[in-house]
Amino acid sequence: MRSERGYVAGLYARLDAERARVKGAYDAALRGDGATPVERDVEVRALAREAKRLDVADNGLCFGRLDTLSDERRYIGRIGLFDEENEYEAVLLDWRAPAARAFYVATAVSPEDMRRRRQFHTRGRQVVDFTDEVFGLPGGADRGDAALLAAVNAPRGEGMRDIVATIQAEQDRIIRLDHPGVLVIEGGPGTGKTVVALHRVAYLLYTQRERMQRHGVLVVGPNPALLNHISRVLPSLGESDVVFMTTGDFVPGLRVTADDTPEAARLKGSLKILDVLAAAIADRQRLPEQPVPIELGDVTVRIDAETAEWAREEARSSGLPHNEARAVFTEIVTYVLTERAIGRIGRGWLSRSDREAWERMRSDLLAELAENDTFTAALDELWPMLTPEALLASLYTSPERLRAAGADEALWRADGDAWTVPDVPLLDELVDLLGRDKAAEKSAEQAAERQREAEAEYAAGVMDILVARQDSMDDEDHLFATDLLHAEDLADRFVEQDTRELAERAAADRDWTYRHVVVDEAQELSEMDWRVLVRRCPNRSFTVVGDLAQRRSVAGATAWGAMLEPYVPGRWVYRSLSVNYRTPAEIMTVAAALLAEFAPGVQPPESVRACGVRPWSRQVTEDDLPAAIEEFVRDEAGREGTSVVIGPPGVPGAVAASETKGLEFDAVLVVEPERILADGPRGAAELYVALTRATQRLGVLHQGPLPRALAGLAETGTPARTGDRR
């Protein structure tokens, strides 16, 4: 024990020394002696990332050791550390390194040329104990699970914890899988599929750093609560170039304020909506019902239906998006009008052979058309510039436009701008179908440039003030000298480049593309959602995580192949996780009975542990329900860990099961399961999710008869304390 404590203490000493070195280099980079502002910024960013990597390693720096058959010792930890004199000699192996793989996969049957695995139990920086597993001994066919059970039995905190010290063999095989396309990881509740996917991202960033770091990684989750829950895992592993989004965040700046009916969500999620969008755009490319008179000089020319139809066909056949094709439409109409005007103005005296006079007259007419309000208004009526939001809002609020686009009347709504999550992929699609409004973009760029110039002027002004004050102070005032340096750096940065972090820049840019995308709860994504994701990742590198049995969305996946084959034919592989690390056997038995009813072909995951507490149920009256819920909340407030009340709409203090997807709690109270079960065709999946969120204690309150599938619950008729029910 003493030698291990000494070795780990030495690792921490190296870590502290490396931190000091990086800090010194960071301070020197800030001064930027002889470097351009761009060079300085690149170095500062790199050193800041390295400092962050070293900071997260402090907790659980070293968690194990491998002894090879040749008596070589390999210490395994969160990051790699190297000998000061020999930079190629690792004194601590990064858990992602190939040489560390045996720590997770070696068994007595397949020891991977290892003699022993040692797992450290630490408190802060101190090794307090360790567990040894010697390979080759009788009865040692399975990996010791003391560290794993300690982790899964520990009370839950606010966020998901990494599993870097307790990765299991089936998880490690998925994390290190070398597949360039789409990897689907399916597993039932508690199998760790989400955290495995996140560790896979950390592994890919380690092995493919140069390729992936510049563009970053996108993690997509079903709701903000889950993203907040999992957002700490990758930073705890030293990775920060990651963007977290829900499907409602795909359009920067858009606010989702409403919900769709199930039928509207189904229609919007289907690829058939693409025909509706195309038809809605075509419907706005109009022909005049009556010729539109345009006054040009001393003559009047007209935009008639024949002219507009010719211009429309030319614009459509150009293949350009709607807004960009307006230039083609305008060019044809302009050509016709100017030809007609010249023909009338020059009748009797202007010959076509007099090209100079002809072109001079055309130039004058073009200038006149550009200033003609009637002509501009006609163009706006016949081929308007459209934004995705304006087109979709006007479609939803007009029964006539819905009919013209061949859309179902279920898409109608009174408030066109009340955006829903299923609207987001449609708006994103329309960005490409409509194209850019270049005039508006130019105006926005000019405004942004004016803002940058103002900020640079402000920064330079701050520096001038600091210079003046510095001249009046003593040379020994080092703090003020640093302020002066930072002000100069600030002024340079405003002039030179965008200094936002990668995650911030990516989240604000609709056209940003990622090197890898993780999709959690992927069974909920619609066909249209997948189109958005494929646009965000052109090289089709995905880790897809889900459980078809937990699908709630009417537009979600019913089979992985049906959803993925159109985008990555033959380039996706499937892996499953079969062991439940979260849900104890007592609770999983109840959930498995429900699963057998609504998804009889699905095998429930096998729980790795029991908790010793039997799930319970109690029938209450409507009047008694609030007090029973308060009793649960009061009891759990006195315990360590987390708890939640899950129920249908209207239950006081309860959240919907869909809001807890991917989350876990020490204690869960499910209220009125009969109402959850009756909520549409996917109510059973919703109840299955609710039952499998608990890691220790599960209670059920019901007013009506308990659903048949929950007959395995122990019914209690007395208001005994929740924790005393066995």
Side-chain angles (χ1 to χ4, degrees):
M1 176 67 73
R2 181 178 301 174
S3 65
E4 297 292 33
R5 285 175 175 168
Y7 192 91
V8 173
L11 292 176
Y12 275 109
R14 289 178 185 273
L15 177 66
D16 292 339
E18 185 67 7
R19 281 174 171 165
R21 184 194 67 78
V22 171
K23 185 179 184 303
Y26 180 82
D27 291 341
L30 278 179
R31 290 191 295 272
D33 298 334
T36 67
V38 173
E39 291 171 338
R40 180 176 62 214
D41 194 71
V42 169
E43 187 174 5
V44 166
R45 285 173 182 268
L47 289 167
R49 281 195 297 267
E50 178 66 7
K52 188 179 296 184
R53 184 183 77 91
L54 295 172
D55 285 342
V56 301
D58 198 75
N59 182 27
L61 173 63
C62 177
F63 47 78
R65 189 185 96 189
L66 280 172
D67 295 353
T68 70
L69 292 176
S70 59
D71 286 334
E72 175 195 355
R73 293 182 177 181
R74 302 176 184 174
Y75 286 85
I76 315 299
R78 289 183 175 275
I79 64 172
L81 292 175
F82 296 87
D83 185 85
E84 294 176 355
E85 297 181 357
N86 183 2
E87 63 180 14
Y88 297 105
E89 182 181 342
V91 294
L92 181 66
L93 277 175
D94 190 298
W95 67 275
R96 295 165 287 194
R101 180 176 175 273
F103 186 79
Y104 301 109
V105 302
T107 66
V109 174
S110 179
E112 302 282 326
D113 295 326
M114 297 296 149
R115 184 169 59 84
R116 173 168 50 195
R117 172 173 41 228
R118 174 169 290 178
Q119 291 180 287
F120 296 143
H121 310 288
T122 60
R123 185 178 299 116
R125 292 188 166 201
Q126 185 80 15
V127 176
V128 297
D129 195 8
F130 60 75
T131 303
D132 273 353
E133 183 183 3
V134 179
F135 302 118
L137 293 181
D142 296 316
R143 175 179 174 180
D145 58 1
L148 172 65
L149 290 178
V152 297
N153 283 317
R156 265 49 195 169
E158 294 182 359
M160 178 178 283
R161 295 167 292 195
D162 65 64
I163 59 169
V164 63
T166 58
I167 293 171
Q168 301 300 292
E170 76 167 357
Q171 297 173 329
D172 187 78
R173 284 191 292 270
I174 293 173
I175 289 170
R176 298 175 192 266
L177 183 65
D178 182 18
H179 179 70
V182 176
L183 167 63
V184 176
I185 307 172
E186 184 164 30
T191 53
K193 52 188 178 292
T194 298
V195 74
V196 166
L198 295 175
H199 282 69
R200 173 170 164 77
V201 169
Y203 175 76
L204 292 175
L205 285 168
Y206 175 80
T207 57
Q208 305 175 30
R209 175 80 56 191
E210 186 174 343
R211 186 181 72 86
M212 296 184 66
Q213 192 172 51
R214 183 176 299 177
H215 287 259
V217 172
L218 173 64
V219 176
V220 178
N223 55 60
L226 177 59
L227 291 181
N228 181 63
H229 182 64
I230 68 177
S231 63
R232 305 176 190 182
V233 173
L234 285 168
S236 76
L237 298 172
E239 306 299 347
S240 58
D241 292 331
V242 180
V243 178
F244 293 88
M245 286 187 182
T246 68
T247 54
D249 299 325
F250 288 154
V251 176
L254 186 79
R255 290 184 64 247
V256 171
T257 60
D259 293 315
D260 274 314
T261 64
E263 178 61 10
R266 184 188 67 80
L267 292 169
K268 293 177 182 180
S270 169
L271 292 180
K272 295 178 181 177
I273 199 69
L274 293 172
D275 293 333
V276 172
L277 297 180
I281 295 172
D283 184 52
R284 303 300 295 273
Q285 300 164 354
R286 313 300 292 270
L287 303 179
E289 295 181 2
Q290 299 293 331
V292 180
I294 307 293
E295 300 290 339
L296 285 179
D298 297 329
V299 300
T300 299
V301 290
R302 289 173 173 78
I303 305 175
D304 52 31
E306 183 180 8
T307 299
E309 186 174 17
W310 176 31
R312 185 173 70 175
E313 291 306 312
E314 290 293 326
R316 287 177 175 177
S317 63
S318 71
L320 294 171
H322 170 86
N323 288 334
E324 296 172 29
R326 173 172 159 134
V328 178
F329 181 87
T330 303
E331 181 181 9
I332 297 297
V333 173
T334 300
Y335 170 78
V336 172
L337 294 186
T338 54
E339 284 290 309
R340 288 174 179 173
I342 292 172
R344 293 180 184 178
I345 295 172
R347 184 178 298 158
W349 65 270
L350 181 62
S351 169
R352 278 192 174 273
S353 62
D354 189 354
R355 300 307 304 171
E356 184 177 348
W358 194 279
E359 292 301 329
R360 187 167 54 250
M361 187 176 296
R362 180 188 296 279
S363 178
D364 292 340
L365 290 170
L366 288 175
E368 191 174 345
L369 274 177
E371 300 295 327
N372 190 299
D373 292 339
T374 304
F375 178 67
T376 301
L379 291 179
D380 290 341
E381 175 66 24
L382 301 177
W383 197 285
M385 296 295 291
L386 298 170
T387 65
E389 291 83 357
L391 176 71
L392 211 53
S394 64
L395 176 67
Y396 288 153
T397 56
S398 170
E400 294 79 10
R401 283 182 172 154
L402 285 171
R403 283 194 295 271
D408 193 289
E409 62 182 11
L411 295 179
W412 180 90
R413 67 185 185 214
D415 187 351
D417 294 320
W419 303 115
T420 67
V421 171
D423 286 332
V424 173
L426 277 61
L427 291 167
D428 189 76
E429 189 79 33
L430 285 168
V431 172
D432 289 344
L433 293 177
L434 294 176
R436 309 294 187 179
D437 183 343
K438 294 186 176 180
E441 285 189 349
K442 184 176 180 180
S443 177
E445 288 174 3
Q446 291 171 341
E449 180 61 28
R450 289 193 295 271
Q451 178 68 17
R452 284 193 295 270
E453 290 174 355
E455 290 171 342
E457 183 178 353
Y458 170 78
V462 170
M463 192 176 75
D464 289 342
I465 294 172
L466 291 176
V467 169
R469 291 182 60 189
Q470 178 73 6
D471 290 342
S472 65
M473 299 183 71
D474 295 336
D475 292 338
E476 296 179 357
D477 195 338
H478 300 297
L479 176 62
F480 207 80
T482 302
D483 289 342
L484 182 63
L485 171 68
H486 287 174
E488 182 181 17
D489 181 64
L490 179 66
D492 286 340
R493 284 170 176 234
F494 274 127
V495 173
E496 293 289 340
Q497 59 178 311
D498 186 346
T499 60
R500 294 173 297 171
E501 292 295 324
L502 180 144
E504 186 181 0
R505 286 182 285 127
D509 186 353
R510 182 264 174 187
D511 295 323
W512 190 278
T513 58
Y514 300 87
R515 283 293 180 264
H516 191 77
V517 175
V518 175
V519 187
D520 199 8
E521 300 293 342
Q523 72 277 355
E524 305 299 337
L525 269 63
S526 70
E527 293 175 314
M528 289 298 295
D529 289 327
W530 277 106
R531 285 181 65 85
V532 179
L533 290 176
V534 168
R535 279 193 288 271
R536 300 298 191 275
C537 189
N539 65 329
R540 310 292 200 269
S541 178
F542 286 82
T543 299
V544 176
V545 180
D547 180 9
L548 295 179
Q550 296 186 58
R551 177 178 64 86
R552 173 65 177 169
S553 170
V554 294
T558 56
W560 298 118
M563 194 64 80
L564 297 173
E565 275 295 321
Y567 305 111
V568 283
R571 287 192 60 229
W572 66 280
V573 296
Y574 176 90
R575 296 292 185 272
S576 63
L577 293 168
S578 59
V579 179
N580 189 332
Y581 301 100
R582 177 181 68 212
T583 317
E586 295 90 340
I587 296 175
M588 199 61 217
T589 299
V590 176
L594 175 64
L595 181 66
E597 281 204 357
F598 79 92
V602 178
Q603 183 69 27
E606 181 180 354
S607 295
V608 76
R609 67 188 177 94
C611 65
V613 181
R614 188 177 178 185
W616 57 269
S617 66
R618 174 152 52 111
Q619 188 166 16
V620 295
T621 65
E622 183 177 358
D623 293 338
D624 292 337
L625 182 61
I629 295 174
E630 290 177 7
E631 177 191 359
F632 168 84
V633 173
R634 184 173 59 251
D635 286 353
E636 291 301 330
R639 297 176 183 266
E640 186 180 5
T642 60
S643 62
V644 70
V645 178
I646 301 175
V651 173
V655 301
S658 58
E659 295 180 25
T660 66
K661 278 203 159 189
L663 305 180
E664 54 187 33
F665 305 87
D666 291 88
V668 172
L669 179 67
V670 179
V671 181
E672 299 196 67
E674 64 277 20
R675 285 180 56 194
I676 298 175
L677 198 59
D679 182 21
R682 300 302 299 171
E686 191 91 334
L687 181 56
Y688 182 61
V689 169
L691 294 174
T692 54
R693 298 307 95 192
T695 66
Q696 301 291 342
R697 300 175 295 280
L698 172 67
V700 173
L701 295 176
H702 58 106
Q703 293 189 57
L706 195 67
R708 182 184 60 183
L710 303 187
L713 287 168
E715 183 77 25
T716 175
T718 60
R721 287 180 61 83
T722 304
D724 295 336
R725 297 187 176 101
R726 296 292 188 271

